[in-house]
Amino acid sequence: MLLLQQTQPITALTDTVAVETVETATKQLNFFDMCVKGGWIMIPIALMLVLAIYIFIERMIVIRDASKEDASFMNRIKDYIYDGKLDSALNLCRDTKSPSARMIEKGISRLGRPMSDVLVAIENVGNLEIATLEKRLGLLATISGGAPMLGFLGTVMGMVQAFFEMEQAGGNTINLSQLSGGIYTAMVTTVAGLIVGVCAYFSYNYLVGRVNEVMRRLEMRSMEFMDLLNEPAAGK
């Protein structure tokens, strides 16, 4: 009988803990509430995210357009040059409106000068085209490194604020709920900064890879054009 009396409070306590555990488990993180918990430093992190998305989409459109190329373009240029129709070749380059076409157009406009001058003119245009494609990529790289640092800054500031509030409360008893709440608020900025940084980092490397593909294509087209000029009689 005494044993039953002792086990009943234990059972009741176990049931209470179980109910509290279930209620705690049903609580889920809300994205908006989590952003609000991060404080004012979430604003520059959010602006970085918007800017990174804009740069990625805008650069993707530009690089995609630069990657488009008519497969018969170089063959038509070759035929025009072999037939001495330089005006037709220039008009074809202007109508094509691609980095390769603008590069070849500059080379054709320099025909009659030393081959070294033609090559330098082509390379200069190619460098300008690559610089245009790489526009704003440096800013994207800055976001990939700056966003996590802002997140860590928010974490440190949150921890300082949490310990400051504990000190102001006074007493020798540590309020765990107050401490955990401060840590939770501080860690939100770290998560947000890392998410933005990782997205910007992968976006940057992807865009750099696409730009490198265009650059290799431009190098290949310049070599084809210079070979064409060095052996014009081969196509007749």
Side-chain angles (χ1 to χ4, degrees):
M1 189 69 177
L2 181 60
L3 180 61
L4 290 175
Q5 292 177 351
Q6 292 177 347
T7 55
Q8 286 178 354
I10 296 176
T11 304
L13 179 61
T14 304
D15 294 339
T16 303
V17 173
V19 171
E20 292 179 353
T21 303
V22 172
E23 291 178 353
T24 304
T26 56
K27 294 181 180 179
Q28 296 180 354
L29 288 175
N30 184 278
F31 178 77
F32 179 77
D33 293 339
M34 186 173 64
C35 292
V36 173
K37 279 282 189 180
W40 66 267
I41 206 165
M42 293 291 291
I43 297 177
I45 294 177
L47 292 177
M48 284 186 172
L49 176 61
V50 174
L51 184 59
I53 293 174
Y54 167 76
I55 293 175
F56 178 75
I57 295 176
E58 189 266 342
R59 286 294 92 188
M60 272 296 301
I61 295 174
V62 173
I63 295 173
R64 183 194 61 186
D65 293 340
S67 300
K68 295 179 180 179
E69 188 175 278
D70 187 1
S72 62
F73 172 76
M74 286 304 298
N75 290 331
R76 296 173 65 185
I77 290 293
K78 184 183 298 185
D79 293 337
Y80 284 139
I81 291 178
Y82 284 160
D83 295 337
K85 300 178 180 178
L86 298 183
D87 292 337
S88 299
L90 288 173
N91 291 330
L92 176 61
C93 292
R94 291 165 186 157
D95 294 337
T96 303
K97 296 181 181 180
S98 68
S100 299
R102 287 188 287 269
M103 189 175 62
I104 300 301
E105 177 187 356
K106 180 62 68 173
I108 295 174
S109 66
R110 293 293 188 272
L111 290 180
R113 298 186 181 183
M115 296 298 293
S116 59
D117 293 346
V118 177
L119 179 59
V120 170
I122 293 176
E123 290 178 347
N124 289 338
V125 175
N127 292 332
L128 291 176
E129 293 293 337
I130 296 299
T132 301
L133 296 178
E134 291 178 342
K135 187 179 180 181
R136 299 190 184 92
L137 291 187
L139 181 57
L140 189 60
T142 302
I143 293 175
S144 68
M149 294 179 67
L150 269 180
F152 291 141
L153 176 61
T155 298
V156 174
M157 293 173 60
M159 294 294 293
V160 170
Q161 182 66 28
F163 283 108
F164 175 77
E165 292 177 356
M166 289 178 58
E167 181 185 10
Q168 294 299 311
N172 297 324
T173 303
I174 298 177
N175 190 339
L176 293 180
S177 62
Q178 184 181 14
L179 181 61
S180 61
I183 295 175
Y184 163 70
T185 301
M187 296 304 293
V188 166
T189 59
T190 299
V191 174
L194 287 174
I195 290 175
V196 175
V198 168
C199 293
Y201 176 77
F202 283 111
S203 300
Y204 170 78
N205 283 281
Y206 176 76
L207 292 177
V208 168
R210 293 292 303 272
V211 171
N212 289 335
E213 291 178 2
V214 177
M215 182 173 62
R216 286 190 291 269
R217 184 178 295 111
L218 291 179
E219 291 175 350
M220 183 174 63
R221 292 293 176 261
S222 65
M223 292 175 62
E224 291 180 8
F225 182 72
M226 294 307 296
D227 290 340
L228 172 63
L229 298 182
N230 287 325
E231 299 180 1
K236 293 183 178 180

